[in-house]
Amino acid sequence: MNQFSSEKILQHLESVLEWQKTGMSRPVTYELDMTNICNSKCPFCFGFLSRETDTASLKLDEVKDLIKQIKEYGGKGLTFTGGGEPLMNSFTIDAVKYARELGLDIGFISNGLLLNEEKAEVLVDSCTWIRISIDAGRQETYKLTHGLEGTSFENAINNTKLLVEKKRNKGSKVTLGTGFLTFPDVSADMTAFVQISKDIGVDYAQFRPLLRKFGQNEINAGPDKEIIESIEKCKMMETKSFKVLCSTHKYNSMSNGIVKRHYDVCHGHHFTTVIAANRKMYLCCHMRGFEKYCIGDLSKYTLKELWESERRKKVYNNIDFKDCPLLCRCDGLNTVLWKMCQENEHKNFL
C-alpha cells in the first residue's frame, strides 16, 4: 500500500465504523490554504475559484486557532497547500511549527520557488512528507505548466535539492517527492522529469492526471496510450530507494477508456475537508470559492459547529456530480467506501 492508495481509509476503521453507524465521521485529514496569492501562473490551476480577485491570507492568530480546533476535533493529518502558494504567506513556517507542536502529522505541497535554508530546515524537521510540484522535465515545459520563464525551472530543482540536503544532514525521516500533472501536451517530458527527480535524490516522483477546472471540459476522460506507456517506462527507473508512484486506479481507468464514476454518493467527504484562506470550509479542494459547496464560515462558527450543522448536510445532499471533475480528489475513497456499502454475497467465505 503506497502513499497514494485509497485503501488507506481502512487504517481508520474507527472513523469508518462511526460513519457506517451514524452517517457521518469527523475528518481524518484537513487541507489548509494559508493564502490565495501565488507566484506561479499555472493556466490549469484549480486553486481558489476567484483567486485573481480574492487575495485572502490567514494571519498567525487565525491559523493557530484553526489548527487548535482541528487537533481538538480529532484531526490526524494536516496538509498545507493552496489556494495559492503556501510560502507566499510569511506566517506559514510558524504555522507548520505550531501544528507539529500539537502533534499533527503534516504534509506540505509547494512549487518550491521560495524555499531557502531556514524554511527548508523547519519543513524537514516538522513534516511527515513534502511534495514539490515540478510538472516538467525542462524549462520550456515548465513555462507551459507553471506560466513562468527565465530560470524558474532551475530554481525549483535547486530548491528541491536543498530539501534533500537538509534531510540527509539531519537524518530526517521526512518523505520527499516531486509531482507531475499528466495531460497529452506534456507526456514527452515524463521520463526526463523522473530522471531529474531520481538524480536530485528525492524518495519518489508522482504522476497524477490533470483535472479540469469548474465549468471546463474533461481533460483526461479518454485513453491516452502515450501517457500510459510513459508511466510504464518510468516505473523501470525505480530503485530500492526511489519510487515512481501514481494513483493506479485512475490510470487503469484511463488506459481502459472507462473514466466514469462507479458510485452514486460522495462518501469520501466525511473523512477529508478543506479550509480556505478566507476562513471558509469547502466540501473539497475542487470547490474552493464555490459558494454552493461552502460548508460555512469559521470566523463566525467553530469547526465543530460547522461540521455538525444542518448547513453541511444540505451542501452534502445537494452535490451535483456535473460540477465535479472525473477522477476527483475523493474518487478513490468513494470507490472503496461505495463497495463497503453494497451487500456482498457469501460474505462469510474469505
Side-chain angles (χ1 to χ4, degrees):
M1 187 183 297
N2 67 45
Q3 294 98 316
F4 307 107
S5 171
S6 300
E7 284 78 12
K8 285 192 297 183
I9 187 63
L10 301 179
Q11 294 177 328
H12 297 277
L13 288 179
E14 288 185 4
S15 296
V16 173
L17 290 172
E18 180 185 9
W19 163 68
Q20 287 182 318
K21 290 178 180 178
T22 67
M24 68 169 285
S25 170
R26 289 176 294 175
V28 174
T29 303
Y30 291 79
E31 294 185 23
L32 178 62
D33 300 345
M34 289 297 296
T35 182
N36 288 333
I37 302 170
C38 193
N39 54 344
S40 280
K41 302 174 183 177
C42 307
F44 310 105
C45 177
F46 56 78
F48 198 83
L49 185 65
S50 54
R51 198 175 63 201
E52 294 79 7
T53 55
D54 190 320
T55 56
S57 290
L58 289 169
K59 298 177 182 177
L60 187 57
D61 60 337
E62 293 174 334
V63 72
K64 281 188 171 182
D65 176 62
L66 293 173
I67 293 171
K68 186 171 183 287
Q69 290 188 62
I70 288 170
K71 175 65 176 179
E72 291 175 347
Y73 199 54
K76 305 294 184 184
L78 176 61
T79 302
F80 288 84
T81 179
E85 161 57 40
L87 292 176
M88 289 292 287
N89 187 326
S90 61
F91 299 122
T92 294
I93 293 299
D94 287 331
V96 168
K97 289 192 285 188
Y98 181 71
R100 186 58 187 160
E101 288 170 6
L102 292 187
L104 289 166
D105 285 340
I106 302 167
F108 200 90
I109 301 174
S110 169
N111 59 32
L113 295 173
L114 293 177
L115 280 170
N116 57 28
E117 294 271 350
E118 181 181 358
K119 294 172 184 176
E121 188 157 336
V122 171
L123 293 177
V124 165
D125 281 341
S126 304
C127 295
T128 302
W129 58 268
I130 304 167
R131 187 170 75 239
I132 304 300
S133 300
I134 302 294
D135 305 303
R138 55 199 172 113
Q139 175 60 51
E140 291 81 359
T141 307
Y142 196 77
K143 179 182 177 182
L144 173 65
T145 57
H146 282 256
L148 300 177
E149 300 184 277
T151 60
S152 52
F153 177 68
E154 182 181 355
N155 293 342
I157 297 301
N158 288 336
N159 287 344
T160 306
K161 290 179 181 177
L162 180 60
L163 287 171
V164 173
E165 179 185 335
K166 291 293 181 183
K167 174 181 177 175
R168 289 174 177 169
N169 290 344
K170 288 176 163 291
S172 169
K173 294 183 179 180
V174 63
T175 301
L176 300 180
T178 54
F180 188 111
L181 293 173
T182 62
F183 60 102
D185 292 348
V186 298
S187 56
D189 261 33
M190 292 170 66
T191 52
F193 156 74
V194 170
Q195 187 62 59
I196 289 170
S197 300
K198 185 177 180 179
D199 292 343
I200 290 172
V202 296
D203 300 299
Y204 69 87
Q206 181 210 14
F207 292 115
R208 290 182 298 145
L210 178 66
L211 305 184
R212 66 171 172 84
K213 293 193 287 187
F214 176 74
Q216 293 184 336
N217 294 325
E218 296 292 344
I219 297 171
N220 285 299
D224 191 303
K225 185 178 180 181
E226 189 172 355
I227 288 176
I228 303 303
E229 289 179 348
S230 293
I231 290 178
E232 292 174 354
K233 289 179 182 177
C234 291
K235 291 288 285 184
M236 296 174 67
M237 300 165 68
E238 288 187 331
T239 66
K240 187 176 180 179
S241 59
F242 173 76
K243 301 301 179 185
V244 176
L245 303 176
C246 64
S247 297
T248 305
H249 81 281
K250 295 183 179 182
Y251 285 101
N252 284 343
S253 296
M254 290 170 60
S255 65
N256 295 329
I258 311 173
V259 181
K260 62 180 181 180
R261 292 186 176 85
H262 300 282
Y263 46 87
D264 295 334
V265 181
C266 181
H267 294 309
H269 156 64
H270 293 290
F271 302 91
T272 178
T273 192
V274 173
I275 299 175
N278 60 1
R279 299 184 70 182
K280 291 184 178 181
M281 185 182 289
Y282 293 92
L283 192 72
C284 77
C285 61
H286 304 291
M287 300 303 169
R288 292 181 177 99
F290 194 3
E291 198 61 28
K292 177 181 177 181
Y293 295 107
C294 177
I295 296 171
D297 191 338
L298 285 163
S299 65
K300 299 177 180 177
Y301 302 96
T302 66
L303 190 156
K304 183 178 187 296
E305 287 171 339
L306 288 187
W307 195 254
E308 297 175 7
S309 68
E310 290 300 316
R311 166 70 182 178
R312 185 180 81 89
K313 293 178 183 177
K314 181 179 179 181
V315 170
Y316 172 71
N317 288 327
N318 285 308
I319 293 174
D320 184 347
F321 279 144
K322 292 179 182 178
D323 296 331
C324 308
L326 294 169
L327 305 176
C328 66
R329 167 72 171 82
C330 285
D331 183 70
L333 286 178
N334 284 329
T335 300
V336 173
L337 296 169
W338 179 256
K339 290 179 180 178
M340 293 178 63
C341 294
Q342 309 310 304
E343 184 64 31
N344 294 315
E345 294 183 4
H346 304 168
K347 66 181 179 181
N348 294 328
F349 293 89
L350 304 178

